[in-house]
Amino acid sequence: MKNLKIMLFTLAFSAANLTANAQFGGLKDKLLKVGTAQGAKALGVDKFLKQPEAISTNFEDVNREGEEMPGFNANAKFQPLYLLPKNPDGGFVLCEGFYEMTNKSYCLKAGTFAPSKGDGYMFAPVLGQKEEIVVSILKSAEKHPEVEQHDIQVLLWTIIARTKFADHAGQVKVTAIKLLTPKQLTQLEGGALGILPFDVMEKAKDQLPSGLKAVFEAENNIRQLVSSGNYTYADMEKYAILAGMAPPRADVPSGIWTKHPDGYYVRYFPSGYAITKVQVYVPKDLVANGNRLVYDAAGDIACPANTDSQRLVQTNEPLNANYSAKLSTICNPK
């Protein structure tokens, strides 16, 4: 370990000196790539693969206690969720009744299948080494409607791919600077991976279960694209989204309700990965004693029962909102 630290320090110092000398061209990048490869080999590829995930949420994090099948309250009439009072810290203050909102959503798992009909999604929290960064981006995006959804999605893909901020180039770097504080930008370096050379990638893939190989390779491809600075959204999406469909799980049908930790019920209907319709049911007795409940989607993931499908982080940003509509329920939250 001591030798590894010395080697990495020497490489980093050499790279810093080379930056000041343009005549060395791409030698810095070659040295850094060698450093990443040797670092992976020195650690042992198995340990290298066990580095913490940026976002680790999976279906095992779903609490299925209290779940209800799609026919639960089948005749309910839903009102616009976005018409509920806003909480100063974000989200919507809940009142008794049924509410829904079609909102922006984002993929948080590259190298997986897009949502398809029949997929069941349930609530899980955002978890992982970069959970605070991801939530901060979504909260900050609410205050920056001028930032395109595609640009935010690319930034999120670079984060889940564990890209170093120093490797960011092009529009994604502009987006990161706009949505994150200087301190948060430095936190992107922690737990980040460099671009893995072909031989390291192949050795790593040999040690991975088949279901994780595509994810690992997609993340490395994303790191390569970002560092190049020469890419389109379609280029990024090609690696992040697998063609085809994952088979649905019969025990978790589309439209299943999750009982949220705060006591209300929530369910998700994705349309691709960028749009999700969310429905919320708040039982009368839950708010009868004056409980203040807030639906703040920035910390919520619509988690697929099928692990080969995409995790979809939700937002408080409605699409095609009709603010001229009125709530039929008298809502006076405390």
Side-chain angles (χ1 to χ4, degrees):
M1 180 60 72
K2 182 177 180 181
N3 291 336
L4 173 60
K5 289 181 178 178
I6 294 173
M7 178 192 71
L8 291 177
F9 176 81
T10 302
L11 286 169
F13 182 77
S14 299
N17 285 334
L18 289 172
T19 303
N21 298 282
Q23 65 266 32
F24 285 98
L27 184 56
K28 180 191 74 170
D29 293 334
K30 292 178 181 178
L31 280 173
L32 291 175
K33 180 178 284 190
V34 170
T36 302
Q38 291 181 350
K41 291 173 181 176
L43 283 172
V45 173
D46 57 334
K47 292 183 180 179
F48 192 75
L49 293 174
K50 292 177 182 176
Q51 297 299 302
E53 292 180 271
I55 297 298
S56 61
T57 303
N58 60 63
F59 200 68
E60 293 179 358
D61 297 311
V62 172
N63 182 354
R64 299 187 63 178
E65 185 176 347
E67 68 181 37
E68 296 287 350
M69 290 295 111
F72 179 60
N73 287 307
N75 297 321
K77 293 183 179 180
F78 292 85
Q79 301 182 75
L81 178 64
Y82 54 80
L83 294 182
L84 289 171
K86 290 295 293 285
N87 186 50
D89 296 329
F92 303 91
V93 182
L94 293 175
C95 296
E96 169 200 348
F98 296 86
Y99 304 92
E100 67 181 10
M101 177 174 72
T102 299
N103 54 252
K104 295 179 183 178
S105 55
Y106 294 93
C107 166
L108 281 188
K109 192 173 184 182
T112 50
F113 295 102
S116 58
K117 286 187 176 181
D119 280 349
Y121 281 76
M122 300 185 74
F123 163 82
V126 176
L127 301 172
Q129 189 181 55
K130 294 293 187 291
E131 61 184 79
E132 292 184 10
I133 297 291
V134 167
V135 172
S136 292
I137 288 171
L138 300 175
K139 302 287 279 184
S140 182
E142 294 178 35
K143 303 172 185 176
H144 291 279
E146 76 281 4
V147 180
E148 296 289 337
Q149 186 174 3
H150 277 186
D151 292 335
I152 296 171
Q153 178 62 83
V154 170
L155 176 58
L156 292 172
W157 276 332
T158 66
I159 289 171
I160 62 173
R162 291 172 285 182
T163 308
K164 296 179 180 179
F165 182 65
D167 290 340
H168 282 54
Q171 179 60 40
V172 69
K173 190 166 191 174
V174 176
T175 305
I177 291 171
K178 177 164 283 192
L179 298 182
L180 293 171
T181 66
K183 180 180 179 180
Q184 290 170 331
L185 292 174
T186 63
Q187 290 171 349
L188 292 179
E189 296 295 312
L193 299 179
I195 300 167
L196 304 184
F198 179 79
D199 60 331
V200 177
M201 275 294 301
E202 292 303 302
K203 187 174 181 181
K205 284 163 62 179
D206 287 343
Q207 299 187 31
L208 286 170
S210 58
L212 294 180
K213 289 181 180 179
V215 173
F216 191 74
E217 189 165 18
E219 290 181 355
N220 195 54
N221 287 331
I222 287 171
R223 291 193 293 271
Q224 288 179 319
L225 278 178
V226 171
S227 65
S228 74
N230 183 25
Y231 58 87
T232 66
Y233 186 78
D235 293 331
M236 192 73 69
E237 189 179 48
K238 178 179 67 175
Y239 292 124
I241 313 299
L242 294 182
M245 295 183 297
R249 275 179 51 171
D251 63 319
V252 187
S254 175
I256 190 170
W257 292 90
T258 309
K259 188 173 184 181
H260 191 275
D262 289 338
Y264 59 86
Y265 293 83
V266 61
R267 65 176 176 177
Y268 308 95
F269 296 97
S271 296
Y273 62 86
I275 300 173
T276 303
K277 181 168 76 172
V278 178
Q279 293 185 332
V280 173
Y281 164 51
V282 185
K284 181 177 181 178
D285 59 355
L286 193 61
V287 292
N289 60 0
N291 284 337
R292 183 181 175 85
L293 298 175
V294 176
Y295 172 76
D296 191 349
D300 293 6
I301 284 181
C303 193
N306 192 312
T307 56
D308 292 329
S309 294
Q310 296 163 357
R311 301 172 295 213
L312 304 176
V313 68
Q314 303 302 301
T315 72
N316 298 317
E317 297 185 76
L319 294 168
N320 302 317
N322 177 15
Y323 289 105
S324 65
K326 302 292 182 183
L327 292 174
S328 60
T329 300
I330 298 176
C331 187
N332 295 310
K334 301 191 178 184

